[in-house]
Amino acid sequence: MHTFKWLLASSLLCASPMLAQDLDLEKDELTFGFIKLTDMAPLAVAYENGYFEDEGLFVTLEAQANWKVLLDGVIDGQLDGAHMLAGQPLAATIGYGTKGHIITPFSMDLNGNGITVSNEIWEQMKPHVPLMDDGRPQHPISAASLAPVVEDYKDQGIPFNMGMVFPVSTHNYELRYWLAAGGLEPGYYSPEDVGGQIGADVFLSVTPPPQMPSTMEAGTIFGYCVGEPWNQQAVFKGIGVPVITDYELWKNNPEKVFGLSADFVEENPNTTLALTKALIRAAIWLDENDNANREAAVEILARSEYVGADAAVIANSMTGTFEYEKGDVREVPDFNVFFRYNATYPFYSDAIWYLTQMRRWGQIAEPKSDEWFFETAKSVYRPDIYLEAARMLVDADMANEADFPWDSDGFKAPTPAEDIIDGIAYDGRTPNAYLESLPIGLKGTQTVSGSDIVN
């Protein structure tokens, strides 16, 4: 675990005098948690660029061992807030897993994940993957190309195991989405069986992000879904091939959020606004001038107290490219998005997508009305706090008026079918109709009983 604080001398040098006096802070010494992934970048940048200091906040950043430890730390107050899986505040608030009311006033990024398979699996997939004229694989690669491999393993009596980072992670839902879109069953949860492998063709289990490459190299899993830099690490180590990015899976999908306990926000409303302002400024810096600051961000993230991976590995995705097979480097300018496309605004429709996936795979065991989805999203995602912080930045000439969705009702325009791998559009305003449109997964009144789906 790494902890570090700004020295008073650096605060005097770096702090801007124009922001700190805006708010009467209830608490100015804060500890935030994070996991060693490139999408924790807004925290590192807000710290290193002095944006927390500008707000009068003295912040300690602490790397956490895993997502459960991180969530527990926010719930029990050891952490004031944290870089979180978007599913964590929602799951905690509805009581799936560790219970606690968590809210998010700030979405940390879009995209940023990939699905990687071992070299051996890739060789078995390749005959089923369409090629471009130059002989390279045509992207996006469907899980339909994995299906014959899984079938072969099943015939041999070998379980086909893959890794994801946490049961309510984007990575779990993205991997499940990809598999199901290719006709593979990723398994169901039930109140009696929380392993998520009921009726599965592919068996998904939890592996902490930094351990993904070594776990695959050991043969425990045949592939995984994870954030960067742990897909590119497999390429650099020569042990695996990323087959799809989540940008190809669902264009500009939501990723991490910043989570705080509802009690903290209620007791510290001005402090919450101040930290949200600092994070918005960091996100702007990360994306401004066509990602001109990304090389500097890579240097920050490569440090041991943050991600601690080689700068070259981090740069492979953070600077607008992505390497699939060794030497197959392609332009993916939006692989990591921190501010463009209203990335930092906590949209209700993003929250609702996560809730639909929890329902789809049985983590939400019983049917829910559309109104339940809306109300749950609104109890966790707080665009009102976000926009208040954004207004203060605009008024202080620290951000541009045009960069924020002031008139939004919290719902994005529907994601068109062509932007999603299975060709099925997503509209957060109609969650149950969306679930009905998905060929694999629970819908309507269906529940899981034992190993069966019951209507």
Side-chain angles (χ1 to χ4, degrees):
M1 181 175 292
H2 300 280
T3 65
F4 38 98
K5 289 191 176 181
W6 283 95
L7 297 174
L8 180 59
S10 77
S11 73
L12 294 173
L13 288 170
C14 300
S16 165
M18 58 195 150
L19 296 179
Q21 73 272 25
D22 287 354
L23 294 163
D24 183 13
L25 301 176
E26 301 86 6
K27 185 175 184 180
D28 61 4
E29 292 192 20
L30 303 171
T31 302
F32 297 149
F34 69 94
I35 297 292
K36 291 186 169 226
L37 294 161
T38 56
D39 57 23
M40 64 77 61
L43 280 171
V45 168
Y47 182 94
E48 295 293 339
N49 286 6
Y51 302 151
F52 288 132
E53 285 282 338
D54 288 350
E55 298 296 333
L57 300 173
F58 297 86
V59 168
T60 300
L61 299 179
E62 292 187 356
Q64 304 295 298
N66 57 55
W67 292 113
K68 184 181 187 309
V69 168
L70 177 145
L71 177 63
D72 290 347
V74 173
I75 290 173
D76 67 23
Q78 291 184 49
L79 298 173
D80 295 301
H83 161 234
M84 282 189 181
L85 300 160
Q88 285 188 293
L90 294 159
T93 298
I94 66 174
Y96 185 79
T98 308
K99 183 162 179 57
H101 189 183
I102 305 292
I103 70 159
T104 179
F106 179 85
S107 178
M108 291 191 72
D109 62 323
L110 304 177
N111 311 317
N113 298 329
I115 296 173
T116 292
V117 297
S118 69
N119 291 338
E120 181 182 3
I121 298 300
W122 174 239
E123 289 302 318
Q124 295 170 53
M125 286 177 67
K126 280 170 76 172
H128 310 288
V129 175
L131 301 179
M132 300 187 298
D133 290 343
D134 62 7
R136 293 184 301 163
Q138 182 176 311
H139 283 264
I141 293 174
S142 167
S145 62
L146 179 65
V149 182
V150 172
E151 191 63 34
D152 184 48
Y153 276 65
K154 188 183 291 186
D155 290 345
Q156 298 177 57
I158 303 171
F160 198 92
N161 300 317
M162 296 187 78
M164 48 80 183
V165 309
F166 202 68
V168 296
S169 66
T170 320
H171 318 79
N172 185 22
Y173 304 130
E174 287 176 345
L175 184 49
R176 287 170 175 273
Y177 204 101
W178 182 68
L179 292 168
L184 290 165
E185 287 278 2
Y188 294 88
Y189 297 82
S190 74
E192 298 75 35
D193 185 346
V194 296
Q197 298 182 350
I198 299 168
D201 295 321
V202 177
F203 300 93
L204 309 186
S205 58
V206 171
T207 303
Q211 296 173 27
M212 289 285 191
S214 59
T215 306
M216 185 175 71
E217 189 174 18
T220 308
I221 54 177
F222 299 132
Y224 54 74
C225 183
V226 75
E228 281 306 301
W230 308 114
N231 297 287
Q232 294 297 269
Q233 184 83 314
V235 179
F236 271 69
K237 292 180 71 175
I239 60 170
V241 175
V243 290
I244 189 169
T245 67
D246 59 348
Y247 179 82
E248 297 167 313
L249 188 68
W250 173 17
K251 183 179 176 181
N252 293 328
N253 64 91
E255 232 309 285
K256 305 295 191 309
V257 297
F258 190 78
L260 305 141
S261 75
D263 288 343
F264 178 93
V265 174
E266 185 176 345
E267 294 163 12
N268 304 283
N270 289 342
T271 300
T272 301
L273 282 170
L275 67 89
T276 304
K277 288 168 66 182
L279 290 172
I280 292 172
R281 288 182 69 198
I284 292 171
W285 182 87
L286 279 159
D287 277 11
E288 68 186 0
N289 300 324
D290 293 325
N291 295 352
N293 296 320
R294 291 295 181 90
E295 291 287 356
V298 166
E299 187 276 321
I300 291 169
L301 292 171
R303 298 174 196 169
S304 60
E305 62 264 32
Y306 295 120
V307 179
D310 289 345
V313 176
I314 297 172
N316 233 27
S317 60
M318 271 285 279
T319 55
T321 61
F322 194 81
E323 188 169 14
Y324 295 91
E325 286 185 274
K326 197 76 169 174
D328 184 3
V329 179
R330 306 194 190 192
E331 296 292 319
V332 188
D334 285 338
F335 181 85
N336 283 117
V337 173
F338 293 99
F339 189 69
R340 292 187 295 280
Y341 319 129
N342 297 313
T344 52
Y345 183 95
F347 283 99
Y348 299 141
S349 44
D350 290 346
I352 289 165
W353 185 81
Y354 285 99
L355 292 168
T356 64
Q357 300 311 293
M358 293 178 193
R359 171 64 187 138
R360 182 183 187 185
W361 304 117
Q363 290 174 330
I364 296 173
E366 301 293 332
K368 302 291 184 183
S369 67
D370 283 356
E371 290 69 28
W372 179 89
F373 284 96
F374 304 148
E375 290 167 8
T376 303
K378 290 176 181 179
S379 74
V380 176
Y381 277 45
R382 294 292 301 275
D384 56 318
I385 296 173
Y386 175 88
L387 288 178
E388 187 175 353
R391 173 54 61 195
M392 296 178 78
L393 288 174
V394 170
D395 289 349
D397 293 325
M398 306 300 293
N400 296 321
E401 175 98 19
D403 286 343
F404 300 95
W406 305 106
D407 298 328
S408 174
D409 62 358
F411 287 83
K412 285 180 181 173
T415 305
E418 61 266 25
D419 285 352
I420 304 179
I421 187 115
D422 56 5
I424 297 173
Y426 167 66
D427 184 354
R429 299 176 190 278
T430 56
N432 278 296
Y434 171 64
L435 283 166
E436 290 285 349
S437 73
L438 299 167
I440 294 179
L442 300 181
K443 50 184 65 68
T445 60
Q446 290 180 331
T447 58
V448 179
S449 177
S451 59
D452 299 318
I453 294 175
V454 180
N455 289 304

